[in-house]
Amino acid sequence: MPTIPTSPTPPPLSSLSEDTICAPATAPGGALSIIRISGPQSLSIVSSVCRSVTATTPANTVHYGRISNGSEIIDEVIVTIFRSPHSYTGEDSAEISCHGSRYIIQQILDLLVQKGCRMANPGEFTQRAYLNGKLDLSQAEAVADLIASNNKATHDIALSQLRGHFSSDLSRLRDQLLQLTSLLELELDFSDHEDLEFADRTELLQLAQQIESHIAHLAKSFETGQALKQGIPVAIVGKTNVGKSTLLNRLLGDDRAIVSDVHGTTRDTIEDTIDIQGVTFRFIDTAGIRQTTDKIEQIGITRTYQAISKARIVLWLLDAPPTATEQQNMQTCCEGKKLIIVITKSDKGISVAGDSSFSIPHFSHIEISAKTGQGIESLERSIYEAADLPVISASDVIVTNARHYDVLQRAHVSILRVLDGLTANLSGDLLSEDLRQSLDILSEITGGQITPQETLNNIFKHFCVGK
């Protein structure tokens, strides 16, 4: 198959809107495919290859037609027309829905390039949407997250960000910071008038504390966001032959791990994921914990403890009462984590929860049979509850992007300096510098920027002096 033509060198940002670009918008291999065109010559180029469309075709209309190279028909298609600024990119654009044949897609793209298009660079349609003010940076990044979402939770978070909820939250923070900055600017501008007071330090401190608390809350949500995005890690631990691999296979509905009566079969960690109530959990089957002289098995046991240290939830599988030493060891290893004690092989009538030596307090336990499936649904519910996830609504903001987290961390450090300065009664010019830094840092998330003129406008909008 011939390769799709590409642009040899990505153009500079300033020239993006001058070109008309095209690219497939769907993955190859399906029954249908969509080819997207965007730029000032979109409609004239499309009309040159499809007679049912003209340069004056109304926006938001759909047309049946045939793509032809002049000598032969390539395909029968559906063409959708969008006009600036009411399109994804904010430019005149069109979408050609054709059959999914790789040959057809290639022929249409070749024809569009011949007529004046160039092949789009990766992400260029979304980049144009950002440059044309259709999306801010955080929304543009949400497009990629939405495409990559693999469960309901990550889908809802990405959709919320794409709809601008994160941007709105940051906009409110920005307005509060701008208010603080404006008050201090006024204080500096009228420093010669000792009888005028625009910035009550107590009120400024309260406002700064509210801002700091909100930034800290957003940054903290990154832990939950990463867990939802990557899968909440759950370590399955216990002695050899206690049923760890059998349980993993039961949860996955597949023979992912080798099950054998031979002790020490699992010598390394085995990972896979499942969805429980719309959330991805990453299960880690580990080597059985026991005393052994086998060097390879010892490495596996070392990795078991490493898996415990990285896990958010630990399933401790038991088929006999643990010793006091084993109980103490597990409590120490799982400090700060959610520990669920799983009594296995209930189909054999084994139960250890009532044993007098079983003395681990404050931990839930559940009896299951991984072989028959008994108790598995209850275990899944317990795992989901142990994740202790917040109830996420369509408008909630959960940070999942590492870049956003880094920006929030730096903004938090900056606003803490403002709080320290207010407490120490530093001068307004020093405080203003830290506030401006906080504003500049937060603007990195959405791509906005605070200008001196904006600060000046805010001063006169909210604090009209001498009117």
Side-chain angles (χ1 to χ4, degrees):
M1 171 186 163
T3 57
I4 293 174
T6 58
S7 177
T9 305
L13 292 180
S14 59
S15 67
L16 281 177
S17 60
E18 299 175 5
D19 297 332
T20 297
I21 58 174
C22 64
T26 50
L32 298 174
S33 182
I34 294 176
I35 295 173
R36 177 177 283 174
I37 305 102
S38 183
Q41 303 303 316
S42 294
L43 303 188
S44 61
I45 290 174
V46 171
S47 66
S48 70
V49 301
C50 183
R51 292 184 178 180
S52 59
V53 175
T54 69
T56 59
T57 296
N60 307 319
T61 56
V62 180
H63 306 269
Y64 165 80
R66 294 171 177 172
I67 298 289
S68 170
N69 60 11
S71 60
E72 61 181 357
I73 295 172
I74 297 174
D75 195 16
E76 295 183 348
V77 301
I78 298 294
V79 181
T80 308
I81 300 299
F82 306 92
R83 288 188 179 273
S84 173
H86 305 295
S87 69
Y88 177 71
T89 60
E91 303 172 326
D92 285 349
S93 61
E95 291 180 354
I96 300 172
S97 178
C98 62
H99 290 95
S101 158
R102 291 176 182 268
Y103 173 78
I104 290 173
I105 296 169
Q106 182 68 63
Q107 290 298 304
I108 294 175
L109 288 171
D110 285 342
L111 186 58
L112 291 172
V113 170
Q114 289 173 20
K115 296 295 184 177
C117 282
R118 68 165 173 81
M119 291 301 300
N121 295 299
E124 190 171 350
F125 289 97
T126 301
Q127 186 180 50
R128 289 188 176 206
Y130 164 67
L131 292 171
N132 290 324
K134 303 295 289 186
L135 303 170
D136 63 30
L137 275 182
S138 70
Q139 290 174 299
E141 288 167 313
V143 173
D145 287 341
L146 189 62
I147 294 170
S149 62
N150 54 13
N151 57 49
K152 186 178 187 301
T154 53
H155 167 270
D156 290 350
I157 291 171
L159 190 59
S160 172
Q161 185 172 323
L162 181 60
R163 294 173 65 184
H165 294 138
F166 187 27
S167 302
S168 297
D169 215 29
L170 291 174
S171 180
R172 286 190 289 272
L173 275 175
R174 180 180 181 274
D175 289 343
Q176 288 177 314
L177 284 166
L178 188 58
Q179 182 181 352
L180 270 176
T181 304
S182 300
L183 283 166
L184 289 170
E185 292 284 350
L186 273 177
E187 186 179 81
L188 291 171
D189 289 344
F190 290 89
S191 58
D192 293 338
H193 300 270
E194 296 180 359
D195 55 328
L196 291 177
E197 184 182 72
F198 298 99
D200 179 87
R201 289 304 174 100
T202 302
E203 292 181 7
L204 289 182
L205 183 61
Q206 291 175 348
L207 183 55
Q209 287 171 338
Q210 292 174 13
I211 295 170
E212 182 277 330
S213 177
H214 197 94
I215 293 175
H217 172 75
L218 287 174
K220 184 174 176 57
S221 74
F222 180 69
E223 181 181 350
T224 298
Q226 281 295 95
L228 292 172
K229 197 171 183 179
Q230 298 179 1
I232 297 172
V234 182
I236 305 174
V237 303
K239 290 183 177 180
T240 57
N241 280 7
V242 78
K244 298 185 299 299
S245 296
T246 304
L247 174 59
L248 177 65
N249 290 341
R250 170 64 66 173
L251 289 167
L252 297 174
D254 188 22
D255 292 335
R256 177 72 172 82
I258 297 174
V259 177
S260 170
D261 292 333
V262 178
H263 289 275
T265 302
T266 303
R267 297 190 170 203
D268 201 351
T269 57
I270 301 173
E271 296 189 25
D272 216 325
T273 61
I274 66 169
D275 279 4
I276 301 176
Q277 298 185 38
V279 175
T280 298
F281 289 82
R282 180 161 46 87
F283 287 89
I284 310 162
D285 181 22
T286 63
I289 301 173
R290 67 168 182 160
Q291 295 294 324
T292 179
T293 58
D294 188 308
K295 292 183 179 180
I296 302 299
E297 192 176 349
Q298 287 174 346
I299 294 173
I301 293 170
T302 299
R303 292 184 178 180
T304 294
Y305 285 107
Q306 291 173 347
I308 293 174
S309 69
K310 296 176 181 178
R312 186 162 171 169
I313 301 169
V314 177
L315 305 183
W316 184 21
L317 274 57
L318 298 171
D319 63 358
T323 66
T325 300
E326 289 171 340
Q327 294 180 48
Q328 181 59 48
N329 181 41
M330 191 56 62
Q331 288 185 76
T332 301
C333 289
C334 297
E335 186 175 357
K337 304 179 184 302
K338 295 296 179 69
L339 175 63
I340 301 175
I341 299 169
V342 183
I343 313 302
T344 63
K345 305 179 182 179
S346 64
D347 57 305
K348 296 183 178 180
I350 296 175
S351 178
V352 301
D355 192 282
S356 59
S357 65
F358 190 78
S359 59
I360 297 182
H362 311 304
F363 290 111
S364 63
H365 74 274
I366 186 168
E367 296 187 5
I368 69 162
S369 169
K371 185 175 181 179
T372 67
Q374 177 187 340
I376 295 299
E377 288 187 6
S378 297
L379 176 60
E380 289 182 350
R381 284 195 298 271
S382 297
I383 292 170
Y384 182 83
E385 292 168 1
D388 196 24
L389 297 170
V391 178
I392 302 172
S393 69
S395 60
D396 283 342
V397 175
I398 303 291
V399 177
T400 61
N401 186 300
R403 186 183 74 85
H404 298 169
Y405 176 68
D406 174 67
V407 172
L408 288 167
Q409 288 283 80
R410 289 188 285 119
H412 188 243
V413 170
S414 183
I415 197 65
L416 283 176
R417 286 201 299 269
V418 174
L419 282 171
D420 291 341
L422 285 167
T423 303
N425 202 31
L426 293 182
S427 63
D429 55 343
L430 295 176
L431 293 171
S432 291
E433 184 61 32
D434 285 331
L435 280 168
R436 284 187 173 279
Q437 187 177 52
S438 299
L439 280 164
D440 290 340
I441 292 171
L442 282 178
S443 71
E444 293 178 26
I445 294 179
T446 59
Q449 188 176 13
I450 297 292
T451 64
Q453 184 63 43
E454 188 170 0
T455 303
L456 186 64
N457 291 342
N458 188 71
I459 290 173
F460 286 105
K461 177 180 178 181
H462 297 285
F463 312 100
C464 195
V465 179
K467 183 177 180 180

